[in-house]
Amino acid sequence: MSTQYYTATSLDGFIATEDDSLEWLFPLGAIGDTGYPAFIAQVGALAMGANTYRWMLRNAVHIGQETGSGWPYAQPAWVFSSRALAMVPGTDVRFVSGDVAPVHHEMTRAAAGLNVWIVGGGDLAGQFFDAGLLDEAIVQIGSVTLGTGKPLFPRRVTSPPWRLMSARQIGAGFAELRYRLPHGHGKT
Ligand SMILES: NC(=O)c1ccc[n+]([C@@H]2O[C@H](COP(=O)([O-])OP(=O)(O)OC[C@H]3O[C@@H](n4cnc5c(N)ncnc54)[C@H](OP(=O)(O)O)[C@@H]3O)[C@@H](O)[C@H]2O)c1
């Protein structure tokens, strides 16, 4: 069981534009050609921040065309927000706020031996890292630059650095890098 930050990013380190658009991402390749199907099959619980959840709600139609449902996940999902957000009927979504550690404990229990996925954004992944709870990052680096946007991982981690475990090319659109993360570093 591992806690994983799995995400796509631009070459210059942004996971979305400033206004939360992912339009730059979809033309880069089909999700079925990436490691995603094998990855999601091993996920037992997932967490995301409020803006990522809002993106899901706004793009329910698009997601539905890809997956057959307005909400793409069968796994229980924890959404971090300090505000009340709309619920998608028929889904297992739990709204939480504050310290990630007790939520991670619940997620691990629900995952029952499968992996825990931190969907994003980057600061939420950073909060799990700060708490010493993030084991791996799996980053699909798209062959585009955005200039500005929502950061991949707004933390300074230099010593020890992340440990590169594998790198593979996915067409001309992506390089997938898998890293093991150092633990016990606290916020910098
Ligand atoms: N490229 C990809 O594969 C990929 C992957 C994931 C996400 N994305 C996109 O990237 C963007 C991410 O947006 P973002 O960077 O703004 O991050 P986000 O994590 O989606 O949203 C940040 C918000 O989450 C809430 N939050 C975070 N931690 C919290 C905590 N501990 N307690 C309570 N609330 C907490 C806060 O909202 P409140 O103000 O509601 O409290 C915060 O402003 C989205 O557009 C998403 O669609 C892209």
Side-chain angles (χ1 to χ4, degrees):
M1 181 260 150
S2 182
T3 299
Q4 300 170 321
Y5 178 34
Y6 179 102
T7 187
T9 177
S10 68
L11 256 177
D12 53 347
F14 300 109
I15 61 171
T17 62
E18 294 281 12
D19 58 352
D20 292 304
S21 170
L22 295 181
E23 290 307 312
W24 54 275
L25 180 59
F26 302 118
L28 292 174
I31 198 164
D33 297 336
T34 69
Y36 183 78
F39 162 77
I40 194 70
Q42 293 303 314
V43 170
L46 55 100
M48 68 185 72
N51 289 333
T52 301
Y53 182 70
R54 286 191 194 97
W55 185 92
M56 298 270 177
L57 297 186
R58 280 197 307 276
N59 290 275
V61 173
H62 178 82
I63 294 170
Q65 282 162 356
E66 295 257 322
T67 66
S69 156
W71 181 251
Y73 308 120
Q75 300 87 344
W78 280 257
V79 175
F80 281 85
S81 182
S82 57
R83 301 171 229 213
L85 298 170
M87 182 79 194
V88 183
T91 59
D92 185 351
V93 173
R94 308 162 191 202
F95 296 104
V96 287
S97 70
D99 189 356
V100 298
V103 176
H104 184 262
H105 185 72
E106 266 183 72
M107 293 176 74
T108 306
R109 209 168 41 191
L114 291 175
N115 297 324
V116 167
W117 178 21
I118 312 306
V119 182
D123 184 70
L124 184 64
Q127 292 175 49
F128 282 85
F129 175 80
D130 298 339
L133 297 169
L134 197 59
D135 302 313
E136 291 178 69
I138 305 165
V139 183
Q140 326 272 328
I141 301 183
S143 309
V144 295
T145 60
L146 297 177
T148 60
K150 298 291 182 83
L152 170 66
F153 196 76
R155 294 292 185 278
R156 181 174 300 174
V157 185
T158 55
S159 182
W162 294 12
R163 184 178 171 80
L164 182 62
M165 306 303 286
S166 69
R168 82 178 169 110
Q169 181 171 353
I170 302 168
F174 290 108
E176 182 188 83
L177 306 183
R178 300 178 76 105
Y179 292 94
R180 181 148 285 280
L181 270 58
H183 276 184
H185 267 254
K187 194 163 185 168
T188 56

